[in-house]
Structure formats: structure tokens, C-alpha cells
Amino acid sequence: MEATGTDEVDKLKTKFISAWNNMKYSWVLKTKTYFSRNSPVLLLGKCYHFKYEDENKVLPSKSACTIEDRIIAGNVEEFRKDFISRIWLTYREEFPQIEGSSLTTDCGWGCTLRTGQMLLAQGLILHFLGRAWTWPDALNIENSESESWTSHTVKKITSSFETSLSGEREPETPTVSLKETIEKCPNDQEMQNEIFHRKIISWFGDSPLAVFGLHQLIEYGKKSGKSAGDWYGPGVVAHILRKAVEEARHPDLQGITIYVAQDCTVYNSDVIDKQSASMTSDNADDKAVIILVPVRLGGERTNTDYLEFVKGVLSLEYCVGIIGGKPKQSYYFAGFQDDSLIYMDPHYCQSFVDVSIKDFPLETFHCPSPKKMSFRKMDPSCTIGFYCRNVKDFERASEEITKMLKISSKEKYPLFTFVNGHSRDFDITSTTTNEEDLFLEDEKKRLKRVSTEEFVLL
């Protein structure tokens, strides 16, 4: 009887936590994001200019325009479609229990893992679909929401609280079906793209079988002493992603690998070795590579001298984004306008989606509206990502990135460098040689010296 009573208390506690998460992490107001029509907008290497079609038209009294204004033209719709097409991975709840814990949600602790997933997802989009790809239904997400997020969220909180207490699940929102999407595709290539689009998202599903899902990433994190519910830094997540890609056995993922820079240094021969690892008499193709560079943009606060560096990175066609954020929460940075960074926010609690279902809903994996943040608010600790399709692409990218580093750096030494040769040629003891320890040494030192009060898990 006592055990039964305890079980009932645990169930009731879980229901209350679920309701609380919905209230705390789903309170997303539909605030307008303002973009100047006089400054270009950069999004992962693509440049957009927001101009009015009729230059003689009397402009609104405000000097800025929002992406939701129906009167602006130019590249606004193209930008919106491009942004929405990026894969958005957020807090989820009610997914299968994480092994070794009682957790069925990552609300409050999984934001850096989510931003890492978003960066990797962008790398996979470049690999399988290319930078020019956009989701055909991207603009339908926003148009389908006739009511504001504010009223929608209030309804969701009320409904969630009631269903949490009753033990019932909320009904899923209407979805764009695979059949409907494929019917819109005018040719076989677009149909193939949509299949890969869904496949990439499925790899990030919140289930133990998803190769890059939260459950798998947590398993790889255990080797570095991390567990579900812990805080993960950008440098740690870089090594977890590397391990996840190396261990992936899906046939489609055998042509891509990840390299993590050592002490802010990319050793060219080490990268090429990873890209050439699969080359045999039967397979002469070299691998694509995602290069992850953990860096610090200052001491306790971000040094504003690095603004041009961050802009330069996000302007490159090779860039797949930045795992970063503010001191108290992680964001996925994908672009900028003037001195503001454009990002996707994982701090939005959504219900579990079973991606093993053939026609699973896609809407919750695409962000309907970008957010902007002043560069000055950026946390100095971040991880930068680049994608190179083959060895020649890497050699070209390393030259272009090196030029950008020299131009944008106000310091005597750049934030990171590309060096010819292997790390072993420089007698470097890499922290990644031991697979049981995925931490960078500087990440360890930072975690030791920073008090727990510095991080508020939102």
C-alpha cells in the first residue's frame, strides 16, 4: 500500500511539473522583430536587402520595418522563407524517459544541446540539400496562425494544465502532410529534397533510436562525466556532436565527419585525414567535414572588438552557425543586421513528436519568426561551425576563413588559426585523444572557477 501511495504521488508530481513547464517555457509573445530597410541582413552567408518596390511610396514614420509588415517587398519574403526553412529544435516534454533518470523533458537544462543540434542540422542540410534549398511550405506556417501567439499560448497553458491533471495528452495541431507537400513538388528533385528534409529532422527525434536525438547525445556526454539534467557548455557539446557523427551507422551518414579544433587551432592534415579515411579502391570519394571551433570572445564579458569577427564568420558561405547565447541561456546564432545578431531560441517547450511515424508533423521543427539580440549581450563562450563538402572545398575554405580572420581581427593574434601539418607534429597533447574525456581543458578550468550562481538554467 505504501509503494502504491508513493507511485500516485510521483504521478501527480509529474503531471504538475508538466503543467508548470508548459506555463514557464511556452509563454512566447509574438513580439515583432524590427529590421532596418537601409542595412543588409546576413543569414548564414546569404545577403538580403529590405527595400520597398516603389521608392516613391511614402514610408511609415518609423525608420524600421518588421518582417510581418505586408507592405514591405524586396527580399523580405525570400529572407523569411530562408529563415523558416532552417531546422528549429527546442525544449520538448513527454518524450520517452531518458535512461538512468526519471526525466521525460529537457526543459531548464537542455538548451545548449538543442543549439548544438540546430548547428548540426544546418550542416546536414548543406550536405544533402544545399544552401539554396528552402522548404516549399515555409511561408504557410505563419499564415496559418490567424491568432497571436499570446492568445494561443494562454489557451495552450489552460488546456495543458487540464490535460496534465487528467492524464490525457493534448491533440496534435493540424499538419502539412507529406502527400500534400510532395504533390506541390513539380519534379523528382524537389520530391527527393522533401524526403531528405523529413529524414534529417527524424535523425533529431526525441527517442533513444534517433542518431542525433537528445537521448543519444546524453549517452555520449556520460563519457565526459555529464548526465541528463546537467549544464552543457558549447565546447563540450562540440565533442559530443563529433562523437555522435562518428558513431552514426546510417548509410546516408557515412560521407560526413566532424573535426573539433584543438586549442583554437585547426590542423589541416588532421582534417584531411578524417576526410580521406573512407577512401579505398572501391570508394574514391573524400568525406565532407563539419569543423567546430570552440572559442572565447573575451574574459567574463564579450569583447566588442570581436563584433567584426562574428559578422565575418556569419557572412561566409561555409558557416553553419554559432552555438552561443547570453550568459544565462543558449541560442543558435545564424545571422546579423548592423550590431544585432539574429538567432533561433530553443527555450520554447513543445510536445513530443513521434518522428518514426511516416507523416509526422513538421511545423514545430521550423521557427516562424527570427529574434534579434545586441552583440554586447552575447556570452563570450561559443562554438563556431563550418561545412566543407570535400578536401578541395576545405582547402579553399581555410584560405578564405584565414583572410577573414586577418581582416576582422583587431587583436595581434586571431581567435583561431589554420596550421599546416598534424597536431602530433607540434607535440600537442590533445584532450580529445582519450575518448573517455570529451572536455576541453579550458572548459574544465572555466567550470571550476565559475560559481553555480552564474548560470541560471532557463
Side-chain angles (χ1 to χ4, degrees):
M1 288 295 291
E2 187 176 339
T4 304
T6 303
D7 290 342
E8 290 298 320
V9 170
D10 288 341
K11 287 179 181 179
L12 188 61
K13 182 180 178 182
T14 300
K15 291 174 183 177
F16 270 109
I17 290 174
S18 178
W20 169 248
N21 284 336
N22 269 286
M23 184 169 66
K24 186 175 182 181
Y25 298 109
S26 296
W27 192 260
V28 180
L29 302 179
K30 195 176 183 182
T31 53
K32 290 186 177 182
T33 301
Y34 288 86
F35 289 89
S36 168
R37 66 184 181 83
N38 298 316
S39 303
V41 174
L42 272 294
L43 182 69
L44 296 170
K46 293 190 74 172
C47 183
Y48 295 91
H49 290 272
F50 297 163
K51 299 291 183 181
Y52 287 83
E53 287 181 334
D54 185 359
E55 293 295 338
N56 296 322
K57 182 183 295 184
V58 178
L59 300 177
S61 58
K62 59 186 180 182
S63 59
C65 54
T66 77
I67 63 166
E68 287 145 6
D69 285 338
R70 296 293 177 255
I71 57 173
I72 39 179
N75 280 332
V76 174
E77 203 163 88
E78 292 175 26
F79 165 76
R80 186 192 301 153
K81 188 171 185 179
D82 190 7
F83 177 85
I84 294 173
S85 296
R86 302 313 106 202
I87 293 176
W88 183 40
L89 297 157
T90 72
Y91 286 156
R92 296 277 175 174
E93 65 171 358
E94 299 177 37
F95 52 61
Q97 187 171 311
I98 296 172
E99 186 178 353
S101 77
S102 60
L103 294 170
T104 58
T105 178
D106 62 318
C107 288
W109 56 271
C111 58
T112 314
L113 290 173
R114 295 299 187 183
T115 53
Q117 285 180 319
M118 285 189 258
L119 183 146
L120 177 55
Q122 177 58 21
L124 295 175
I125 284 178
L126 290 185
H127 185 64
F128 292 107
L129 301 174
R131 182 63 186 90
W133 173 84
T134 54
W135 181 34
D137 287 304
L139 297 181
N140 294 336
I141 289 184
E142 203 166 29
N143 294 337
S144 66
E145 295 181 355
S146 57
E147 59 181 349
S148 71
W149 280 18
T150 309
S151 60
H152 172 74
T153 304
V154 171
K155 291 178 181 179
K156 179 179 178 181
I157 292 168
T158 305
S159 173
S160 174
F161 191 78
E162 291 173 351
T163 54
S164 294
L165 292 180
S166 64
E168 299 173 358
R169 289 188 63 91
E170 293 180 72
E172 293 292 344
T173 54
T175 65
V176 178
S177 70
L178 177 59
K179 183 179 179 182
E180 290 173 355
T181 303
I182 289 177
E183 284 175 354
K184 295 178 184 178
C185 299
N187 54 53
D188 291 342
Q189 183 59 53
E190 288 202 17
M191 184 168 66
Q192 189 66 30
N193 286 347
E194 188 53 34
I195 291 171
F196 261 110
H197 172 212
R198 283 181 170 270
K199 185 181 290 186
I200 291 170
I201 290 176
S202 72
W203 287 333
F204 294 91
D206 294 307
S207 69
L209 297 178
V211 288
F212 304 131
L214 195 74
H215 295 69
Q216 284 290 345
L217 299 186
I218 289 168
E219 280 299 311
Y220 296 127
K222 287 180 180 178
K223 293 184 178 180
S224 62
K226 309 296 283 184
S227 59
D230 288 347
W231 181 83
Y232 294 73
V236 176
V237 170
H239 288 284
I240 291 175
L241 294 178
R242 173 187 62 81
K243 188 65 176 175
V245 172
E246 287 177 352
E247 295 295 322
R249 294 294 175 260
H250 194 288
D252 291 333
L253 294 169
Q254 300 314 299
I256 188 168
T257 186
I258 284 185
Y259 172 88
V260 181
Q262 304 172 39
D263 299 319
C264 299
T265 305
V266 177
Y267 294 94
N268 295 344
S269 295
D270 289 344
V271 177
I272 294 172
D273 284 351
K274 287 181 76 74
Q275 290 183 277
S276 306
S278 62
M279 294 179 67
T280 62
S281 57
D282 297 328
N283 180 17
D285 295 332
D286 43 357
K287 288 185 177 183
V289 64
I290 295 174
I291 299 169
L292 300 179
V293 187
V295 296
R296 283 194 64 80
L297 306 176
E300 292 303 310
R301 293 183 179 181
T302 297
N303 187 336
T304 54
D305 286 345
Y306 290 124
L307 172 60
E308 294 306 313
F309 162 78
V310 173
K311 286 184 177 181
V313 165
L314 293 170
S315 301
L316 295 170
E317 62 177 307
Y318 305 100
C319 182
V320 291
I322 299 174
I323 305 170
K326 293 194 290 191
K328 298 178 182 179
Q329 47 197 306
S330 182
Y331 298 145
Y332 169 62
F333 294 115
F336 69 90
Q337 184 181 47
D338 296 325
D339 293 347
S340 294
L341 299 173
I342 298 170
Y343 67 93
M344 287 198 287
D345 189 352
H347 302 87
Y348 179 51
C349 186
Q350 304 190 88
S351 298
F352 165 70
V353 173
D354 186 355
V355 296
S356 65
I357 298 173
K358 183 179 180 181
D359 203 11
F360 66 88
L362 293 172
E363 287 84 351
T364 62
F365 294 100
H366 291 279
C367 183
S369 180
K371 291 188 176 182
K372 289 175 72 178
M373 182 193 85
S374 170
F375 173 77
R376 295 175 182 274
K377 296 180 180 179
M378 184 180 181
D379 187 90
S381 180
C382 62
T383 290
I384 302 165
F386 303 98
Y387 169 83
C388 303
R389 187 166 293 279
N390 48 45
V391 171
K392 286 187 178 179
D393 202 30
F394 165 70
E395 292 172 344
R396 182 166 55 250
S398 62
E399 291 178 4
E400 290 188 25
I401 295 169
T402 298
K403 289 179 183 177
M404 181 276 297
L405 287 167
K406 290 179 180 178
I407 294 171
S408 63
S409 178
K410 294 184 179 180
E411 302 293 328
K412 184 177 180 180
Y413 301 103
L415 271 174
F416 66 93
T417 59
F418 288 82
V419 175
N420 291 325
H422 296 89
S423 58
R424 62 174 178 267
D425 299 335
F426 297 85
D427 193 28
I428 297 295
T429 303
S430 171
T431 58
T432 62
T433 52
N434 182 2
E435 291 191 356
E436 297 302 309
D437 183 10
L438 302 180
F439 279 104
L440 292 173
E441 285 300 319
D442 59 350
E443 192 76 27
K444 282 184 177 179
K445 293 173 183 176
R446 173 169 167 73
L447 289 175
K448 285 180 180 178
R449 74 169 182 266
V450 173
S451 69
T452 55
E453 293 179 351
E454 182 178 344
F455 298 103
V456 179
L457 305 182
L458 298 177

